[in-house]
């Protein structure tokens, strides 16, 4: 989605650009921290879990989304005023591709949590648990390829519509991204299917945890702590709220854009902030990431106080002289 309305004032555009850049800077820091920790562990041949693979890939995709969002706010007024539909088409397809990758990876993360934590013992469940968890890299690559195929088909549909309506040079000057893209296919394949897998796995996990807690409460062993299970249920609930809010904003932007050919840029700004909050929560809930983050803060704090102490000592020596 790379168009905007011509009635936007410069103040509104600058406001959206400033907010996008404000979200970009902490987002890049947080996402790159997650990626850096897991890549460092992999480089040093430390233990890297399937969840780490997904979170690392998710961090990379979110960094790319935020960069694409910043590029969108930088260049979309120029592309709109110059009526370069080819530029808006490429920007829109690239942005949608990154969104699809992020949605698929989030769903994959929910599926892995369900398989690792749920206590179902059916043959199908145990088979999926062994297959998906031990072949995680292949499923991540499959998610990226599926998103790329979806975006490529969308691009081909747009180009076909352009050439069917006349010559390239004449048509591209009169068409915008929303007028040459079929909205049914990308929304259905790119978002609805992973949303189904996410909801299904989340419901299974929440149900499993609920039944397990109920059984433990009914048992005579009252010394068992249920705090871990309650914490996991809170984690599942938070992820569900995040994904629901993110997809509602995304669907609303998509449908509004394709119906009215107007890009809701303020909603795109919100879409840029939501992954930052979710990644921050992942750092807080993951013991390894939380420990590394505390070490980083401790090192920064020690450096600042050490520098202040050095400056104070130098000032005292100067006064003494």
């Amino acid at each position: 989605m790379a168009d905007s309305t011509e009635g936007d004032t410069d103040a509104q555009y600058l406001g959206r650009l400033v907010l996008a850049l404000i979200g970009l800077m902490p987002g890049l820091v947080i996402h790159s921290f997650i990626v850096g920790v897991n890549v460092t562990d992999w480089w040093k041949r430390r233990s890297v879990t399937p969840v780490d693979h997904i979170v690392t890939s998710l961090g990379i995709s979110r960094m790319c989304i935020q960069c694409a969002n910043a590029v969108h706010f930088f260049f979309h007024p120029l592309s709109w005023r110059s009526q370069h539909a080819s530029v808006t088409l490429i920007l829109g397809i690239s942005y949608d591709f990154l969104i699809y990758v992020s949605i698929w990876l989030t769903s994959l993360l929910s599926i892995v949590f369900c398989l690792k934590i749920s206590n179902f013992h059916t043959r199908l469940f145990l088979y999926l648990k062994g297959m998906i968890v031990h072949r995680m890299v292949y499923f991540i690559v499959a998610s990226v390829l599926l998103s790329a195929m979806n975006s490529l088909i969308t691009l081909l549909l747009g180009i076909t519509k352009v050439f069917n309506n006349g010559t390239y040079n004449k048509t591209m000057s009169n068409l915008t991204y929303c007028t040459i893209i079929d909205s049914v296919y990308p929304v259905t394949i790119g978002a609805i299917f992973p949303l189904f897998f996410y909801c299904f796995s989340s419901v299974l996990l929440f149900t499993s945890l609920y039944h397990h807690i109920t059984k433990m409460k009914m048992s005579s062993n009252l010394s068992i702590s249920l705090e871990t299970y309650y914490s996991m249920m809170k984690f599942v609930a938070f992820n569900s709220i995040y994904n629901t809010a993110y997809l509602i904003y995304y669907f609303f932007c998509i449908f509004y854009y394709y119906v009215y050919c107007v890009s809701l840029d303020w909603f795109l700004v919100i879409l840029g902030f939501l992954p930052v909050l979710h990644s921050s929560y992942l750092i807080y809930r993951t013991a390894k990431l939380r420990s590394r983050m505390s070490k980083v803060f401790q090192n920064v704090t020690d450096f600042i106080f050490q520098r202040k102490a050095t400056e104070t000592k130098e000032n005292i020596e100067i006064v003494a002289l």
Side-chain angles (χ1 to χ4, degrees), residues 15-311:
R16 292 192 297 266
L17 180 60
V18 168
L19 288 177
L21 293 177
I22 291 175
L24 174 66
M25 290 181 287
L28 290 179
V29 172
I30 292 173
H31 301 323
S32 60
F33 171 79
I34 295 175
V35 174
V37 169
N38 291 325
V39 170
T40 302
D41 288 344
W42 171 80
W43 184 262
K44 294 182 178 180
R45 300 186 181 278
R46 295 172 182 167
S47 176
V48 179
T49 65
V51 173
D52 292 334
H53 287 122
I54 301 176
V55 171
T56 303
S57 304
L58 190 60
I60 294 174
S61 68
R62 287 175 173 176
M63 289 172 62
C64 294
I65 288 174
Q66 288 204 290
C67 292
N69 213 13
V71 171
H72 164 75
F73 284 110
F74 267 116
F75 291 104
H76 86 278
L78 300 176
S79 62
W80 173 266
R81 291 167 186 170
S82 60
Q83 298 294 317
H84 288 167
S86 58
V87 177
T88 61
L89 176 61
I90 294 174
L91 289 177
I93 291 295
S94 302
Y95 186 80
D96 289 342
F97 162 70
L98 295 171
I99 292 289
Y100 299 150
V101 171
S102 179
I103 293 175
W104 273 108
L105 290 176
T106 305
S107 300
L108 188 59
L109 182 64
S110 176
I111 293 172
V112 172
F113 277 132
C114 177
L115 293 174
K116 293 189 67 175
I117 299 174
S118 299
N119 56 352
F120 298 109
H121 300 290
T122 61
R123 288 186 177 181
L124 178 60
F125 184 83
L126 295 176
Y127 170 75
L128 292 176
K129 182 176 182 179
M131 181 187 67
I132 294 179
V133 172
H134 294 94
R135 294 175 175 84
M136 185 52 57
V137 176
Y138 297 104
F139 282 94
I140 293 174
V141 173
S143 301
V144 176
L145 291 179
L146 185 61
S147 302
M149 182 181 67
N150 181 49
S151 300
L152 179 61
I153 293 176
T154 307
L155 177 63
L156 294 176
L157 289 174
I159 295 175
T160 302
K161 189 170 184 179
V162 167
F163 282 100
N164 288 339
N165 288 335
T167 60
Y168 178 82
N169 291 333
K170 292 182 179 180
T171 308
M172 291 301 286
S173 61
N174 296 322
L175 290 176
T176 55
Y177 178 60
C178 58
T179 62
I180 60 180
I181 299 298
D182 184 8
S183 62
V184 176
Y185 180 82
V187 171
T188 302
I189 302 298
I192 294 297
F193 284 174
L195 175 62
F196 168 76
F197 291 125
Y198 173 81
C199 292
F200 185 73
S201 59
S202 297
V203 170
L204 278 181
L205 176 57
F206 200 87
T207 303
S208 175
L209 289 172
Y210 175 78
H211 286 300
H212 191 67
I213 291 175
T214 303
K215 289 181 179 179
M216 294 180 68
K217 283 184 176 180
M218 294 175 61
S219 65
S220 58
N221 189 0
L222 300 178
S223 62
I224 301 176
S225 176
L226 300 177
E227 186 62 31
T228 303
Y229 299 97
Y230 287 130
S231 178
M232 180 54 63
M233 293 183 73
K234 292 178 183 178
F235 178 75
V236 175
F238 180 87
N239 285 337
S240 300
I241 294 173
Y242 160 76
N243 281 281
T244 302
Y246 190 86
L247 290 172
I248 286 175
Y249 275 111
Y250 179 68
F251 284 149
F252 186 76
C253 290
I254 285 287
F255 286 117
Y256 193 89
Y257 183 73
Y258 286 117
V259 172
Y260 299 103
C261 201
V262 175
S263 177
L264 300 176
D265 288 336
W266 288 110
F267 279 73
L268 293 181
V269 172
I270 297 175
L271 282 176
F273 276 102
L274 288 179
V276 179
L277 297 177
H278 186 251
S279 294
S280 302
Y281 185 72
L282 286 178
I283 294 175
Y284 169 73
R285 288 305 306 270
T286 307
K288 178 178 70 174
L289 296 176
R290 185 172 62 247
S291 174
R292 300 286 180 85
M293 180 62 77
S294 2
K295 288 181 180 179
V296 170
F297 277 124
Q298 186 64 41
N299 292 333
V300 171
T301 304
D302 292 343
F303 174 78
I304 293 175
F305 280 105
Q306 184 179 3
R307 185 173 180 179
K308 288 184 177 180
T310 304
E311 291 178 354

